[in-house]
Amino acid sequence: MLRRPFLLTLLGAAPAFAEPPTLRPTPAAETAPVPHPGDAADDPAVWLHPADPAKSLILGTDKQGGLIAYDLAGKPLQTVGPRSRPNNVDVLYDVPVEGGRTADIAVATTRGEPVGVVCWAIDPQTRALRDVTAGGVIRVLAGEEPYGLCTYHSARTGKTYFFANDKAGRVEQYAIAPAAGGTLTATRVRTLKLASIVEGCVADDEYGTLFVSEERKGIWRFSAEPDGAATGALIARVGENGLRADVEGLAIYPAGKGAGYLIASSQGNHTYKVYARTPDHAFVATIDPAASAALGKPRDTDGIAVAPFPLGPQFPKGVFIAQDGLNGRKKQNFKLFRWEDVAGETLTVDPASYDPRKPTRRE
């Protein structure tokens, strides 16, 4: 009797494809725990130093405290907004400010003092963060408490934006503009609405797309341009390919010629799902980290970040960062992985093709 795969081959049918692989990297480093106990650490971002990648910063939110700047070894260097209770943070490069100058800025939703969105300029000489928010805060979501946030630098127009969302499923887009005294303000340009809680989001500067995680349903794709449609496409559903609620942080790994990945925190099973960045968004792999004897592994992850560019000798081919919601008996922190350890033989390692200060428009 012929076995089924052999019979299909004789009949000219294609053999079944192998299941997408599971990748098992171990963390290479971790940040110091955040100062506050309980559910405190939430979302990371990476700032690339313009001249010396080894001097780049990891930014992490302590949502019971302030925004913390770490070096690449995970050592805290500065805390800003110590009572701001930032939830999500992202970085924008070369944002126009007063007098025709530009600045790199960190942008965060804040739920303490004050409530709204706050911008900090990053000094490339000292690596210090300085509040440059006009009036102390940008009010969003009709004054309600914000939740998630991501930024967008349009390769089509050169303009810069942020998206802020809340637990009611509202997503608002704001255009950033210079204000007096070198400060920044923002004006709402669009509102999107999903049916339930959203938090994680990421914008693909080159493709002009916005991805939003509806925690109990899946990942949505929208246009990131302010004149884009208000309706989106559900590109990944909870329950498919092991994506399990809550769907939390999202990150983009850009590679050459428009390739790369969309990565999502599948909090319900402590893994990270990898999808194609290109518009089919095919499921590619699962990242299920192995525990390091010294560092453990991240679990119950909220925010994630990935930097596809070289970051000095610690992370010469980029870094993947995941919030650790358990961290053993310690306070929460962020685990750092060398991108080549994550990628293995499966994912692309392309640390030289992407410059976040010069996004290339893709169609």
Side-chain angles (χ1 to χ4, degrees):
M1 177 178 179
L2 294 175
R3 294 188 181 275
R4 184 172 176 82
F6 182 53
L7 179 60
L8 290 174
T9 301
L10 288 178
L11 294 175
F17 289 104
E19 287 293 320
T22 296
L23 311 176
R24 301 277 290 163
T26 56
E30 64 181 350
T31 66
V34 297
H36 291 84
D39 186 19
D42 194 279
D43 190 43
V46 177
W47 171 72
L48 175 64
H49 192 281
D52 185 350
K55 293 181 179 178
S56 300
L57 297 175
I58 297 164
L59 305 176
T61 60
D62 175 354
K63 60 190 178 187
Q64 307 302 333
L67 178 67
I68 305 169
Y70 303 91
D71 65 17
L72 295 176
K75 176 185 175 182
L77 303 176
Q78 183 185 9
T79 299
V80 292
R83 293 182 295 278
S84 60
R85 295 178 55 222
N87 197 68
N88 278 197
V89 63
D90 209 349
V91 171
L92 273 170
Y93 298 91
D94 293 337
V95 177
V97 296
E98 188 181 45
R101 297 175 293 110
T102 63
D104 296 346
I105 63 169
V107 187
T109 48
T110 56
R111 301 189 291 171
E113 299 177 15
V115 174
V117 167
V118 176
C119 302
W120 291 273
I122 305 171
D123 187 322
Q125 301 299 319
T126 65
R127 299 189 291 174
L129 278 66
R130 177 175 58 88
D131 191 338
V132 291
T133 316
V137 67
I138 299 168
R139 299 292 181 185
V140 297
L141 301 159
E144 296 295 322
E145 186 177 87
Y147 199 34
L149 175 138
C150 55
T151 62
Y152 175 53
H153 191 154
S154 172
R156 188 180 81 180
T157 66
K159 295 181 179 180
T160 53
Y161 304 88
F162 67 78
F163 295 87
N165 60 50
D166 65 12
K167 293 184 179 182
R170 203 169 21 162
V171 182
E172 293 185 344
Q173 182 174 5
Y174 287 78
I176 300 171
T183 61
L184 295 170
T185 187
T187 303
R188 186 179 64 190
V189 294
R190 186 166 61 140
T191 300
L192 309 172
K193 186 70 172 69
L194 295 174
S196 62
I197 295 176
V198 297
E199 180 185 4
C201 67
V202 67
D204 190 322
D205 293 347
E206 296 189 327
Y207 278 102
T209 49
L210 168 72
F211 299 94
V212 180
S213 57
E214 188 176 1
E215 293 187 353
R216 310 297 296 181
K217 189 165 186 178
I219 304 170
W220 292 86
R221 183 191 67 214
F222 296 88
S223 168
E225 291 293 334
D227 59 357
T231 55
L234 186 63
I235 62 155
R237 295 178 182 272
V238 167
E240 294 178 347
N241 300 307
L243 182 65
R244 189 177 299 176
D246 289 353
V247 186
E248 293 284 348
L250 301 174
I252 296 285
Y253 180 93
K257 299 180 180 180
Y261 309 105
L262 168 68
I263 309 173
S265 171
S266 177
Q267 191 180 63
N269 53 11
H270 313 293
T271 65
Y272 313 94
K273 298 296 177 177
V274 183
Y275 304 88
R277 178 192 180 205
T278 46
D280 63 339
H281 306 302
F283 177 58
V284 175
T286 295
I287 303 170
D288 184 6
S292 157
L295 305 177
K297 60 177 284 186
R299 296 174 62 83
D300 202 34
T301 295
D302 284 322
I304 60 175
V306 65
F309 30 76
L311 292 171
Q314 299 102 317
F315 301 99
K317 297 181 180 179
V319 65
F320 173 67
I321 306 173
Q323 181 257 8
D324 187 352
L326 297 181
N327 200 27
R329 297 181 179 181
K330 301 177 183 178
K331 296 171 184 173
Q332 295 178 347
N333 72 346
F334 302 92
K335 298 291 193 283
L336 316 179
F337 297 80
R338 296 185 183 92
W339 178 252
E340 62 269 33
D341 294 343
V342 175
E345 300 298 319
T346 300
L347 303 181
T348 298
V349 179
D350 187 7
S353 68
Y354 181 73
D355 183 347
R357 292 180 169 87
K358 299 176 181 178
T360 300
R361 185 178 176 184
R362 308 285 181 185
E363 299 295 341

